[in-house]
Amino acid sequence: MYKLIRNEGTARRGELVTPHGTVQTPAFMNVATCGAIKGGLSALDLKELKCQVQLCNTYHLHLRPGDETVKKLGGLHRFTRWDGPILTDSGGFQVFSLAKLRNIQEEGVTFASHIDGHRIFMGPEESMRIQSNLASTIAMAFDECVENPAEYDYARKSCQRTVRWLYRCKAEMDRLNSLPDTINRKQMLWGINQGSTYEDLRIENMRQIRELDLDGYAIGGLAVGESTEEMYCIIEAVEPEMPKDKPRYLMGVGTPENILEAVKRGVDIFDCVMPSRNARHGHVFTWEGCRNLFNAKYTLDEAPLDESCDCPTCRDFSRAYIHHLFKSGEMLAMRLCVTHNIYFYNTLLERIRKSLDEGNFQEFYNNNIRKLDTRI
Amino acid sequence: MYKLIRNEGTARRGELVTPHGTVQTPAFMNVATCGAIKGGLSALDLKELKCQVQLCNTYHLHLRPGDETVKKLGGLHRFTRWDGPILTDSGGFQVFSLAKLRNIQEEGVTFASHIDGHRIFMGPEESMRIQSNLASTIAMAFDECVENPAEYDYARKSCQRTVRWLYRCKAEMDRLNSLPDTINRKQMLWGINQGSTYEDLRIENMRQIRELDLDGYAIGGLAVGESTEEMYCIIEAVEPEMPKDKPRYLMGVGTPENILEAVKRGVDIFDCVMPSRNARHGHVFTWEGCRNLFNAKYTLDEAPLDESCDCPTCRDFSRAYIHHLFKSGEMLAMRLCVTHNIYFYNTLLERIRKSLDEGNFQEFYNNNIRKLDTRI
């Protein structure tokens, strides 16, 4: 399903064909946690913001409205009105970050809902069943995401269990895809590389999981406490072990700079809540750096958020107006900034693809790496 | 500027020509308190929701971002990107409902800002200067809005002062419209009828203010504590005294039923926060009655909010999805419902106009008056 079109050094330009459409890579996935982008955007808005893939969270949707409800409503595509590819995470990350009182055993994890505290059990089979009910395009394997720094011994044991869980995920996904009432019987399963910040564990784990010949591979357990330098080192260590003919997804990353660095190191796909979360707090990304729209210097500034941007927000609204909306607590402030940031991220990835197509990614990297994360 | 096209009983079909466009009446004005419709809608969204006039609040904009800031930014049209007619209220209603520690004297009112408590003085001249800076199409006279029930004697004295204030408003507006750096030198001034629930005061006041031959007249001080029956009686008492060749605006009203009753009694223009405020709490208007989208019965309901509606929300999204978004606290829920309610109100007025054009308003009234405010 993945075709590598060309390389520039380790950086890859490719495309991923799915039953819900083709994704040009490198690509950014826009995060619709509960089935909607936070900040008041709908799936239909995403279309004009160059979004290729929507990511939804299994944990949140299992709790509310419930994956069986989503199945009765025809799956996530019909429910949210997004007709392109959807990736669901496994729920694992949220079980380990949001839920309380969790208890991990070989079988899976028992935890308390962060909404009402009720006890829930989730293991590899449950995660696959939930994601099958949600009917996403791509399901992620159920893994334990260990926070960094982690003890070597704990990371090693956790990794080994995650590999055993992956085999169970694969078996359950194959079974679910063979059932007549499964909504998306072509649901893909992607594996997740773990191993904390230990290169030997990462490499061993990658070698083990690639044996399953899955449809894609993610690097998980990064951007969870380690330095960005450590993160880049781990990507560099794992990348040579990743299949060349499968898409590579760096989970939960990151800033524009992180994305440029990771593309350079061979990553194809990204997701992050940063564009929408930062926007809701008045932080917008521009080609000159980051702005904070709460800043009083924008009171009389009639320029758009980014003078070189042609997003729906920059086409019509001024910094002065958006500054006023934030100060007044108007929801429109958030919607306009989320719209801009989502468009910015998708345009960043589009320009990265173009530079790879034209063989000048390194030049693009050099021109942008210093300024994109700068505060202006 | 106002042309009466036809009557059906006391109900009127007309049009109001302004420098910012023509308004077909009866019309509903969509309330953008701080320069944006609450619920994340922009001025550009209003265009596809059949909005003809935007109402902005003088009190709020004077406090934040400040009317002088708005003037420096070119006035409300340029600031908010709404290019149609804008009506600004006088600030009076908010001074008497939102502000603290107010002190009314002949000169005007001293009050404390509800945002930071600082002392502000506003009288007729100040209100006109602020509205001139905002550069709305229609400015409202500065009045005292007396809460109902009110003592007869207080209401009478307040009324008399409001008439004296109106003369000062007119003089100041004429002066401002003659200044070279005034943004909208064709700004209109509309007077406001007061008199609480006392028919004799209302009639006397209307006779006094119509002497000024203003561009339009509003009925103020209703929907502030009295019963709807009292409100209808006051409209019936005042209406014969209102000029036939001027638009009539019933301030801050109301439900679909209120609007039908008031159109029947000769009112042309309305404004109310109800469509957007109710929507933000999950209450939507439909042609069958009102729904509460928090209701669990919508969990698996794939119908649109209103099966006969072709608004952007009803074209694409299900009750089940919107119910889920409300339960999850997603901003998109509010935006979708505000979009629907604004469209519903503007469509209601459009259908009222059509029924007047076709001479069957009474039939339209009979078919709808009982069900529109019913909970379903």
Side-chain angles (χ1 to χ4, degrees):
Chain A
M1 314 282 253
Y2 174 82
K3 192 176 120 197
L4 178 61
I5 298 172
R6 63 175 286 161
N7 277 102
E8 185 177 328
T10 315
R12 294 147 49 97
R13 171 73 178 90
E15 65 181 30
L16 171 66
V17 180
T18 83
H20 299 111
T22 298
V23 180
Q24 300 297 326
T25 64
F28 186 78
M29 301 192 291
N30 298 108
V31 182
T33 303
C34 301
I37 303 280
K38 292 194 188 295
L41 272 62
S42 79
L44 304 181
D45 297 319
L46 289 184
K47 287 283 167 186
E48 61 167 335
L49 303 179
K50 305 184 187 178
C51 175
Q52 298 191 84
V53 195
Q54 179 173 277
L55 182 149
C56 294
N57 289 106
T58 289
Y59 169 89
H60 291 85
L61 292 165
H62 174 56
L63 263 54
R64 202 164 44 194
D67 49 285
E68 291 183 2
T69 295
V70 174
K71 184 175 185 178
K72 283 180 194 150
L73 292 165
L76 277 179
H77 287 90
R78 183 162 169 163
F79 187 54
T80 68
R81 309 294 291 159
W82 171 255
D83 63 3
I86 297 177
L87 182 143
T88 42
D89 64 0
S90 69
F93 182 77
Q94 282 73 26
V95 167
F96 294 103
S97 61
L98 281 182
K100 312 274 182 224
L101 304 166
R102 60 180 179 272
N103 175 21
I104 313 172
Q105 294 189 305
E106 183 62 26
E107 192 55 24
V109 188
T110 305
F111 59 93
S113 155
H114 76 291
I115 299 173
D116 59 12
H118 83 274
R119 303 292 287 172
I120 300 172
F121 174 79
M122 196 186 287
E125 290 79 10
E126 287 71 20
S127 173
M128 293 302 107
R129 282 174 218 150
I130 295 167
Q131 293 184 75
S132 181
N133 285 340
L134 297 175
S136 57
T137 314
I138 299 160
M140 295 304 297
F142 187 72
D143 62 336
E144 180 183 1
C145 178
V146 176
E147 210 174 315
N148 294 325
E151 294 291 326
Y152 183 87
D153 200 50
Y154 186 84
R156 188 176 57 82
K157 283 184 181 158
S158 163
C159 252
Q160 289 168 347
R161 184 169 49 212
T162 289
V163 173
R164 292 191 296 274
W165 283 358
L166 180 58
Y167 278 85
R168 286 164 54 190
C169 286
K170 177 77 167 63
E172 183 64 7
M173 179 57 72
D174 288 345
R175 187 185 75 80
L176 292 162
N177 280 349
S178 73
L179 298 180
D181 74 333
T182 292
I183 298 176
N184 175 18
R185 296 177 63 189
K186 292 181 174 175
Q187 194 168 29
M188 288 185 249
L189 173 65
W190 289 13
I192 304 176
N193 173 253
Q194 291 286 357
S196 186
T197 50
Y198 303 106
E199 293 192 9
D200 61 330
L201 294 183
R202 286 279 178 182
I203 289 168
E204 186 194 357
N205 178 265
M206 192 63 234
R207 287 178 182 163
Q208 289 171 331
I209 65 177
R210 80 179 179 200
E211 291 300 311
L212 281 91
D213 193 31
L214 300 170
D215 293 313
Y217 287 94
I219 305 177
L222 290 182
V224 288
E226 80 290 353
S227 69
T228 50
E229 272 317 307
E230 279 181 293
M231 175 169 85
Y232 300 146
C233 285
I234 291 300
I235 299 170
E236 283 170 20
V238 173
E239 188 277 332
E241 306 299 328
M242 300 186 89
K244 297 262 176 280
D245 59 343
K246 299 289 168 71
R248 297 142 170 208
Y249 160 31
L250 180 59
M251 302 181 85
V253 174
T255 67
E257 185 178 309
N258 295 154
I259 288 174
L260 273 171
E261 295 289 2
V263 165
K264 191 179 170 184
R265 288 166 173 81
V267 175
D268 303 311
I269 297 176
F270 302 87
D271 83 285
C272 192
V273 296
M274 196 175 275
S276 54
R277 181 175 293 166
N278 284 19
R280 298 201 311 281
H281 295 93
H283 295 274
V284 296
F285 295 95
T286 81
W287 289 94
E288 301 304 316
C290 303
R291 295 184 189 284
N292 177 356
L293 266 291
F294 274 95
N295 197 312
K297 72 180 174 185
Y298 298 120
T299 305
L300 291 171
D301 188 342
E302 290 207 80
L305 293 178
D306 183 336
E307 282 166 293
S308 70
C309 178
D310 53 2
C311 83
T313 300
C314 289
R315 279 201 302 264
D316 278 293
F317 300 98
S318 66
R319 293 173 193 163
Y321 183 55
I322 296 169
H323 169 74
H324 162 66
L325 296 176
F326 270 116
K327 298 290 280 184
S328 302
E330 288 291 331
M331 218 177 276
L332 181 58
M334 297 194 199
R335 179 180 155 208
L336 292 178
C337 287
V338 173
T339 296
H340 170 81
N341 274 1
I342 297 274
Y343 187 90
F344 177 86
Y345 262 67
N346 290 326
T347 302
L348 171 66
L349 275 290
E350 183 182 70
R351 292 192 188 172
I352 289 172
R353 291 193 297 273
K354 184 163 177 284
S355 74
L356 286 164
D357 283 334
E358 295 171 353
N360 52 24
F361 170 73
Q362 186 60 46
E363 190 186 332
F364 181 84
Y365 170 97
N366 293 342
N367 289 341
N368 290 286
I369 193 68
R370 287 287 155 256
K371 67 182 171 189
L372 291 184
D373 288 5
T374 311
R375 290 189 182 197
I376 55 173
Chain B
M1 313 282 253
Y2 173 81
K3 191 176 120 198
L4 178 61
I5 299 172
R6 63 174 286 159
N7 277 102
E8 185 177 328
T10 315
R12 294 147 49 97
R13 172 74 178 91
E15 64 180 31
L16 171 66
V17 179
T18 84
H20 299 111
T22 298
V23 181
Q24 300 298 326
T25 63
F28 186 78
M29 301 192 291
N30 299 108
V31 182
T33 303
C34 302
I37 303 279
K38 293 198 188 290
L41 272 61
S42 79
L44 304 181
D45 296 320
L46 289 184
K47 287 283 166 186
E48 63 167 333
L49 303 180
K50 305 184 188 178
C51 175
Q52 297 190 85
V53 195
Q54 180 175 277
L55 182 149
C56 294
N57 289 107
T58 290
Y59 169 89
H60 291 84
L61 292 165
H62 174 55
L63 263 53
R64 200 165 44 195
D67 48 286
E68 292 183 2
T69 295
V70 174
K71 183 174 186 182
K72 284 181 194 148
L73 292 165
L76 277 179
H77 286 90
R78 183 162 167 164
F79 187 54
T80 68
R81 309 296 289 162
W82 170 255
D83 62 5
I86 298 177
L87 183 142
T88 42
D89 64 0
S90 69
F93 182 76
Q94 283 75 25
V95 167
F96 294 102
S97 61
L98 280 182
K100 312 275 180 221
L101 302 166
R102 59 181 180 274
N103 175 21
I104 313 173
Q105 295 188 305
E106 183 62 25
E107 191 57 22
V109 188
T110 306
F111 59 94
S113 155
H114 77 291
I115 298 173
D116 59 11
H118 83 276
R119 303 292 289 173
I120 300 173
F121 174 79
M122 195 185 287
E125 291 78 11
E126 287 72 20
S127 173
M128 293 303 107
R129 283 175 216 146
I130 295 167
Q131 294 184 74
S132 180
N133 284 341
L134 297 175
S136 57
T137 314
I138 300 159
M140 295 304 298
F142 187 72
D143 62 335
E144 180 183 1
C145 178
V146 176
E147 210 174 315
N148 294 325
E151 293 293 325
Y152 183 87
D153 200 50
Y154 186 84
R156 188 175 57 81
K157 284 183 180 157
S158 163
C159 253
Q160 289 168 347
R161 184 169 51 211
T162 289
V163 173
R164 293 191 296 276
W165 284 357
L166 180 58
Y167 278 85
R168 287 165 54 191
C169 286
K170 177 77 166 61
E172 182 65 6
M173 179 58 70
D174 288 345
R175 189 185 73 80
L176 292 163
N177 280 349
S178 72
L179 298 180
D181 73 334
T182 291
I183 297 176
N184 176 17
R185 296 176 64 187
K186 295 182 172 172
Q187 193 167 30
M188 290 185 247
L189 173 65
W190 289 12
I192 304 175
N193 174 252
Q194 291 287 355
S196 184
T197 50
Y198 302 105
E199 293 191 10
D200 61 331
L201 294 184
R202 286 279 178 182
I203 289 169
E204 184 193 0
N205 177 264
M206 192 64 234
R207 287 178 183 164
Q208 290 171 328
I209 65 176
R210 79 178 179 202
E211 291 301 310
L212 282 92
D213 192 31
L214 300 171
D215 293 314
Y217 287 94
I219 306 176
L222 291 181
V224 288
E226 81 290 353
S227 70
T228 51
E229 273 317 307
E230 280 181 292
M231 175 169 86
Y232 300 145
C233 286
I234 291 299
I235 300 170
E236 284 170 20
V238 173
E239 188 278 331
E241 306 299 328
M242 300 184 90
K244 296 262 176 280
D245 60 343
K246 300 288 168 74
R248 300 142 169 207
Y249 160 29
L250 179 59
M251 302 182 86
V253 175
T255 67
E257 186 178 307
N258 295 155
I259 288 173
L260 273 171
E261 295 289 1
V263 165
K264 192 177 169 184
R265 289 166 173 81
V267 174
D268 303 311
I269 298 177
F270 302 87
D271 82 285
C272 192
V273 295
M274 195 174 275
S276 54
R277 181 175 292 166
N278 285 17
R280 299 201 311 281
H281 295 95
H283 295 274
V284 297
F285 296 95
T286 81
W287 289 93
E288 301 304 315
C290 304
R291 296 183 188 283
N292 177 354
L293 265 291
F294 273 95
N295 197 312
K297 73 180 173 186
Y298 298 120
T299 307
L300 290 172
D301 188 341
E302 289 206 81
L305 293 176
D306 183 336
E307 281 166 296
S308 70
C309 177
D310 54 3
C311 81
T313 300
C314 289
R315 279 202 301 264
D316 278 294
F317 299 98
S318 66
R319 294 172 192 163
Y321 182 56
I322 295 168
H323 169 75
H324 161 65
L325 295 176
F326 270 117
K327 298 291 280 185
S328 302
E330 288 290 331
M331 217 178 274
L332 181 58
M334 299 195 198
R335 180 181 156 209
L336 293 178
C337 288
V338 172
T339 296
H340 170 81
N341 275 1
I342 296 272
Y343 188 91
F344 177 86
Y345 262 67
N346 290 326
T347 302
L348 171 66
L349 274 291
E350 182 183 71
R351 292 192 189 173
I352 289 173
R353 290 194 298 274
K354 185 163 176 285
S355 73
L356 286 164
D357 283 333
E358 295 171 354
N360 53 23
F361 171 72
Q362 187 58 48
E363 189 185 332
F364 181 83
Y365 171 95
N366 293 342
N367 289 342
N368 290 286
I369 194 67
R370 288 286 156 259
K371 65 183 173 188
L372 291 184
D373 287 5
T374 311
R375 290 189 183 198
I376 53 173

